[in-house]
Amino acid sequence: MEKNFDSHTVFSFDIFDTIIMRKTATPKGIFTIVREILRTRFSSSLPIDLVEDFFEYRVRAEKEERKLNENEEITLDQIYERLYSYFHKDISRENLLNIRDIEIETEINYAIPIPQNLDRIHNLLDQGCRVILVSDMYLPAEIIRTLLRKFSTRIAELPLYLSGEIGKTKYTGTLFDYVCVQECIRPKQLHHLGDQQYSDIIVPKSKGIFVEKFTASQLDPIEMSYLHENQLFHQLCAGTSRSYRLLHPNANQREILGATLAAPLLYGFVEEVLRKAKNDGFKRLYFLARDGQILLKIAQLINNVRKYDFDLRYLYCARQVSHFASVFRLNEEHFLRWIIGDYYNDTLESMCRRLRLDPVALLNLLPPHLRKKIKSVNRILNKRTIYKIKEFMIDDDKIRSKIEEKSQEHRQLFYQYLEQEHFFDENQAALVDLGWTGKMQDAFYKAVKSYKPNSKIVAYYFIVSSISPLTSSWNIKNSYLKMSYFVPVNALEIITSADHGTTSGYERDENGNVRAVLQNGEHLIRWGIKDFQQGIEGFVKEYLDLTQPFQIPAETPKQIIDPIFKILLYPNKNIADTLGSIPFSGDQNDSFIMEVAPKISFFMLLQYYFRGVQNFFFKTGEKRTSITSWLGASVARSSWIVVYSNFLLRIPYLFFVPILRSGIRSIRQDENRAMRKIKIFVKQCNRFFQSK
C-alpha cells in the first residue's frame, strides 16, 4: 500500500475492524452487553420487554430508521428516537437517553486496537504521508476520537470523515467523492484500506481508487460455525477467539487452533466441573494424566480468577497402572478390559508389557502347539491365538501366581504414590478426566477400596460412552455430555494431548519417594504441543477477563460444542494439516506411534472401508487405525480423488451397512429363539420319559 506514491497521495483507513475492533464477535454484540447491564442495574425501573428484548428492539430501531430516513446515513440519536417511539408511554426520554449513554460507554470500554494497522499508520505519519480516516458509522465524531485516543493520540487527531456526520456513505460511494473534493485529490491518488468487501473494495475500486482489503478481522470458519449474534456467550467467546488471532499476529497455526478451536470446546466443561465440585463439597480435585494436563491448566486459571479456592493436583495415573493395581485374582475380565488391548494389533510383547512379564520367558512356557503359532514376540497375533494364550495364563498356576505377585508389588507403590498426593486425607476424592467408558475408574476404585474400605470416588468427565455395572453411590461418574455417534473421539484425544508419554508404572527415587515412570513424550514436544497449550491458556486468560462482570449460565457453553464437533468430524485442510500431524497411538503402551491423520491414497481409503465392513459384521480383521485414526482429517489432507471417493463411499456405508447388520441381528435372534424352544421341548420330553 505504501509503495509507488507521490506527495499528493492520501492514505485512507476504515476504522472499525481495520484499526480498532470490538471485543465482541460482531457490532451487534455490544447490544447483548447493554442488555446484560440493563438486567443487572435497571430491571425494576424499565419495562421488562425493553430489558429482556433490548437486542431485538435495538436492531429493529436501526433497521427501520435506515429504511424511513431520507438521508443516506443516520445517527445514534435518531436510532434512539425511533426506539423511544416504541416505549414513549412507559418510559421517559431521559431514561432512554441513559440507555444510549450506556451503549456509548460500552463501545468505548469494549474497544481494542489492531496493532498491525496502528503501526502501519504510525509508519506512514513518520514518513510525512497524508493519512485520513473514513468510516460508515452512526456514532458522533467526539466518541470516535475518544475511542482512538485510548490507543494513539496521533491517530485520534487525524482528519475524520464519518457518514453519520456528513450524511454520505462509503456504501453508495458518495463519501469517497466527498473525501476527494475535501482533500483536493483525484480518485487514483487515494489509497484505501478496509475490511468490507462491498463498501471498502468494490465501490471505491469502481471509482478508480486504489484499494486493499484487510481480512484478518473477519471471523474464521470455527467462530462463524457457532455464533448466534443475540447470545452473550457466543459473542464473547467468538470475540475472544478473534481478538487472540489479531493481538498475536506472530503466533503459529498450532497456537491459533489452540485458542480458536480447543479452548472454546474445553472451557465450559472445566468451569462446570469447578462449579459442581464446589457444590458437592470438594476442596481438592485430581486431574488424571494425560488428558487432564490441559484441563488442569484451564482450571488453575479459572480457580484464580473466580476464587474457588480449590487445591488442584495432577495425578500420574493411566489405564494400565490402574488396571494392574486391581488384579487381586487374575480372571478373564482382566484380559477383556485391558490385558488384551486390541484384538487386531496385540503382540505377545505388548501383552507381557502390561503384566510386567518377560515375553521370551512366557513364550518358552507355552505349550508346543501354541508356541509354533507365535513366530516372534513382536508379531501381531490373531484373535484365536490370543484367546488360547489367555486360557493358558489363567489355568497355569505358576504364571497366574507370578502375575498376582507383581500386581501386589505394583499396588504397594501405587498406594504410596497416592499417599504422597494426600489422596486418602478425606473419605471421598474427586477425579477429572476426558472420559469414555469409565472402566479405568472402576479399576482405580477397586484398588483404592481395598486399601481404604470407606473410600468414595467421584469423577467428572467431559463425556462418558457407557455406565458400567460397578457404578454406584460409592463410585460415581458425572458426564458433561452424552455420547453420540457424532463425537470425534480421536480428535478429542489429540486436543487434550500432554507434553509427556503415558504412565507405565511407579518407582522410588534416591530419597525414597515414589515417582511415576513415564513413556517418552518427545514426539509431542517436537510437534509443538506447548504452543498448542499456550494458545488454549491465552484464550482462557482473555475470556476470563472479558466475562468477569457477567454471570454466564452453566448450560450456555454447551451450545457451541456440536458445531465444533462437526468441524472436527469434517475439518478443512488448514485444521487437518495442523492437527492431523500430531503423533498418536491408540494403544495404552504408546506403541505404533504415527500421525493421527496421515495423507492416504485411494486404495488406502478402500482398505479403510473394507476393514470397517469386516469389523462391523464379523468383529474380525485388522484395525483401521493402522491406516488413520481420524478419517475426516486424512481425507482433507489428501488428493481430490480421495475427497470425492470418500463422499461416494460414505453414502452406502452410513445407510445400508447398519440396515444389513440390523437384518442379520434379527435373523440371529430368530435362530436363538428357535434354539431355546427346541431346548425347552427336549427338556419336557426328558421329564416325560423319566416320569414313565
Side-chain angles (χ1 to χ4, degrees):
M1 183 175 179
E2 292 84 348
K3 296 179 180 179
N4 302 322
F5 66 89
D6 56 34
S7 58
H8 298 290
T9 301
V10 174
F11 294 93
S12 73
F13 288 78
D14 180 32
I15 297 176
F16 283 94
D17 293 334
T18 301
I19 60 176
I20 61 174
M21 62 181 178
R22 300 168 178 91
K23 293 180 182 179
T24 55
T26 66
K28 293 177 183 177
I30 294 297
F31 310 155
T32 66
I33 295 175
V34 173
R35 179 181 61 197
E36 202 66 24
I37 294 171
L38 295 181
R39 284 172 174 169
T40 306
R41 300 184 193 172
F42 305 104
S43 60
S44 60
S45 59
L46 294 174
I48 187 64
D49 54 340
L50 173 59
V51 173
E52 294 300 326
D53 300 326
F54 175 79
F55 181 93
E56 287 75 17
Y57 280 117
R58 174 61 178 79
V59 171
R60 173 185 163 191
E62 182 176 342
K63 184 177 180 180
E64 288 185 359
E65 187 61 28
R66 289 188 184 280
K67 183 178 180 180
L68 299 175
N69 199 296
E70 296 179 355
N71 298 321
E72 283 188 28
E73 185 59 292
I74 58 177
T75 66
L76 187 63
D77 286 342
Q78 290 172 331
I79 294 171
Y80 270 85
E81 278 298 318
R82 180 68 57 182
L83 189 59
Y84 177 69
S85 68
Y86 305 152
F87 296 96
H88 66 278
K89 294 181 180 179
D90 304 311
I91 187 175
S92 68
R93 181 174 270 103
E94 181 183 358
N95 281 341
L96 203 68
L97 292 179
N98 287 338
I99 300 176
R100 180 204 63 184
D101 293 341
I102 290 172
E103 181 177 333
I104 292 172
E105 182 184 0
T106 304
E107 288 276 15
I108 295 171
N109 292 338
Y110 284 83
I112 54 177
I114 299 178
Q116 63 193 89
N117 288 336
L118 291 180
D119 292 342
R120 195 170 186 176
I121 294 175
H122 287 144
N123 290 335
L124 288 169
L125 293 174
D126 291 341
Q127 296 174 50
C129 299
R130 295 167 63 188
V131 180
I132 62 174
L133 307 176
V134 182
S135 179
D136 280 350
M137 174 47 60
Y138 48 73
L139 290 173
E142 62 269 21
I143 301 303
I144 298 297
R145 292 196 186 278
T146 301
L147 281 168
L148 295 171
R149 206 170 284 119
K150 288 174 61 179
F151 315 115
S152 171
T153 53
R154 290 177 73 189
I155 294 176
E157 301 308 318
L158 292 174
L160 185 59
Y161 296 92
L162 294 177
S163 60
E165 301 255 317
I166 298 169
K168 301 177 186 297
T169 66
K170 293 186 298 179
Y171 189 84
T172 61
T174 55
L175 184 57
F176 288 112
D177 297 335
Y178 180 84
V179 166
C180 289
V181 171
Q182 294 298 311
E183 294 294 327
C184 301
I185 57 172
R186 297 188 301 275
K188 68 178 183 180
Q189 293 174 308
L190 183 64
H191 288 207
H192 181 70
L193 175 71
D195 68 295
Q196 291 295 318
Q197 178 64 23
Y198 187 77
S199 58
D200 287 316
I201 304 300
I202 295 175
V203 172
K205 190 174 182 179
S206 69
K207 293 179 174 293
I209 296 170
F210 181 86
V211 296
E212 183 180 350
K213 188 174 182 181
F214 181 68
T215 59
S217 61
Q218 295 177 350
L219 296 176
D220 73 7
I222 301 170
E223 294 151 2
M224 291 177 63
S225 71
Y226 61 77
L227 177 64
H228 289 221
E229 283 195 297
N230 63 349
Q231 294 274 358
L232 177 64
F233 171 76
H234 293 233
Q235 286 281 356
L236 298 182
C237 186
T240 302
S241 173
R242 180 180 70 143
S243 64
Y244 189 90
R245 289 189 286 110
L246 287 165
L247 294 175
H248 299 82
N250 297 322
N252 59 41
Q253 198 57 36
R254 293 180 294 276
E255 184 178 342
I256 292 299
L257 283 178
T260 60
L261 188 148
L265 186 64
L266 299 175
Y267 177 86
F269 163 62
V270 177
E271 181 151 45
E272 175 67 9
V273 166
L274 297 184
R275 286 175 180 167
K276 188 167 180 55
K278 191 76 172 178
N279 292 334
D280 291 345
F282 288 103
K283 297 180 180 178
R284 182 183 297 140
L285 294 175
Y286 292 92
F287 291 75
L288 302 185
R290 294 173 283 178
D291 297 338
Q293 186 182 67
I294 189 57
L295 302 179
L296 172 62
K297 291 181 178 182
I298 296 171
Q300 288 170 333
L301 293 170
I302 299 173
N303 193 41
N304 292 336
V305 173
R306 304 288 195 231
K307 307 298 181 186
Y308 284 117
D309 297 324
F310 278 112
D311 176 12
L312 303 175
R313 296 183 175 232
Y314 191 55
L315 201 65
Y316 287 100
C317 184
R319 180 180 167 193
Q320 60 176 313
V321 296
S322 296
H323 280 287
F324 197 42
S326 69
V327 177
F328 298 95
R329 279 167 289 278
L330 187 67
N331 58 46
E332 188 169 352
E333 277 298 308
H334 295 125
F335 280 88
L336 296 177
R337 288 184 178 180
W338 67 284
I339 299 173
I340 302 173
D342 191 334
Y343 282 136
Y344 314 130
N345 282 330
D346 260 323
T347 65
L348 189 64
E349 191 275 336
S350 66
M351 292 171 63
C352 288
R353 196 188 313 171
R354 294 166 197 146
L355 295 167
R356 314 294 199 271
L357 295 176
D358 180 355
V360 176
L362 177 61
L363 181 63
N364 293 330
L365 291 174
L366 293 176
H369 71 277
L370 192 54
R371 200 182 314 147
K372 288 179 182 178
K373 297 180 179 180
I374 306 172
K375 297 181 180 179
S376 168
V377 295
N378 293 312
R379 183 162 181 169
I380 294 175
L381 306 173
N382 61 42
K383 184 176 178 180
R384 184 177 180 81
T385 303
I386 291 173
Y387 265 112
K388 291 292 184 182
I389 295 171
K390 177 201 72 174
E391 291 171 358
F392 174 78
M393 292 171 72
I394 292 175
D395 294 338
D396 189 281
D397 293 339
K398 185 178 179 180
I399 294 177
R400 190 176 65 252
S401 299
K402 185 69 174 177
I403 293 171
E404 292 170 358
E405 179 184 326
K406 286 187 174 291
S407 173
Q408 173 67 17
E409 294 172 3
H410 166 76
R411 194 157 48 246
Q412 294 308 311
L413 288 172
F414 179 67
Y415 291 149
Q416 289 178 40
Y417 173 70
L418 293 181
E419 287 280 10
Q420 282 178 195
E421 295 299 321
H422 301 279
F423 190 86
F424 298 111
D425 287 1
E426 304 288 339
N427 288 333
Q428 62 175 2
L431 309 178
V432 183
D433 200 4
L434 187 62
W436 309 129
T437 64
K439 290 180 181 178
M440 191 193 99
Q441 180 185 335
D442 293 340
F444 186 95
Y445 167 73
K446 285 165 67 178
V448 167
K449 195 80 170 174
S450 71
Y451 184 74
K452 190 175 181 181
N454 59 345
S455 294
K456 178 180 178 180
I457 304 295
V458 179
Y460 301 95
Y461 294 114
F462 183 76
I463 192 165
V464 174
S465 61
S466 61
I467 300 297
S468 71
L470 292 182
T471 305
S472 68
S473 59
W474 290 91
N475 184 34
I476 298 172
K477 302 179 180 81
N478 297 291
S479 182
Y480 182 64
L481 298 177
K482 293 181 180 179
M483 189 69 177
S484 73
Y485 177 77
F486 296 101
V487 175
V489 175
N490 289 331
L492 287 176
E493 289 277 1
I494 63 170
I495 281 173
T496 54
S497 295
D499 59 9
H500 62 81
T502 188
T503 307
S504 58
Y506 304 98
E507 64 182 8
R508 287 189 179 85
D509 61 18
E510 59 275 7
N511 299 319
N513 295 320
V514 178
R515 65 186 177 193
V517 177
L518 304 177
Q519 300 276 52
N520 192 341
E522 284 297 318
H523 53 283
L524 289 163
I525 295 174
R526 284 195 300 271
W527 175 81
I529 192 64
K530 291 185 182 295
D531 293 337
F532 188 68
Q533 292 188 348
Q534 181 179 324
I536 296 174
E537 292 180 82
F539 172 95
V540 173
K541 289 175 185 175
E542 293 184 20
Y543 177 80
L544 285 169
D545 180 64
L546 184 59
T547 58
Q548 188 69 2
F550 309 114
Q551 292 291 329
I552 306 293
E555 291 295 313
T556 307
K558 291 183 181 180
Q559 296 172 358
I560 72 172
I561 289 177
D562 279 346
I564 296 179
F565 275 1
K566 289 177 183 177
I567 286 176
L568 288 173
L569 283 168
Y570 310 109
N572 60 35
K573 195 171 189 309
N574 174 44
I575 296 172
D577 283 338
T578 304
L579 298 184
S581 62
I582 294 180
F584 177 77
S585 173
D587 178 75
Q588 56 185 296
N589 292 324
D590 273 359
S591 305
F592 312 107
I593 292 175
M594 57 181 281
E595 286 189 350
V596 67
K599 294 180 181 179
I600 58 176
S601 66
F602 171 73
F603 295 104
M604 293 171 72
L605 181 68
L606 290 178
Q607 192 177 21
Y608 182 91
Y609 278 103
F610 178 71
R611 289 182 182 180
V613 172
Q614 277 187 308
N615 298 333
F616 209 56
F617 288 114
F618 311 111
K619 301 292 184 182
T620 61
E622 293 184 67
K623 195 166 180 64
R624 296 193 293 178
T625 51
S626 61
I627 299 173
T628 177
S629 294
W630 185 8
L631 179 63
S634 284
V635 170
R637 299 181 72 187
S638 303
S639 67
W640 66 269
I641 297 175
V642 172
V643 173
Y644 286 105
S645 299
N646 181 62
F647 175 76
L648 295 173
L649 286 168
R650 275 178 50 229
I651 296 173
Y653 189 81
L654 291 177
F655 291 97
F656 297 124
V657 171
I659 293 171
L660 287 172
R661 189 181 184 190
S662 177
I664 290 173
R665 188 183 295 114
S666 298
I667 292 170
R668 287 175 178 171
Q669 287 175 351
D670 290 340
E671 289 176 351
N672 292 335
R673 199 176 296 116
M675 286 300 298
R676 284 197 299 270
K677 289 181 178 180
I678 291 171
K679 288 179 181 179
I680 292 171
F681 176 73
V682 170
K683 286 182 180 179
Q684 290 175 341
C685 289
N686 287 335
R687 287 173 186 168
F688 174 78
F689 288 115
Q690 286 174 1
S691 64
K692 295 296 181 181

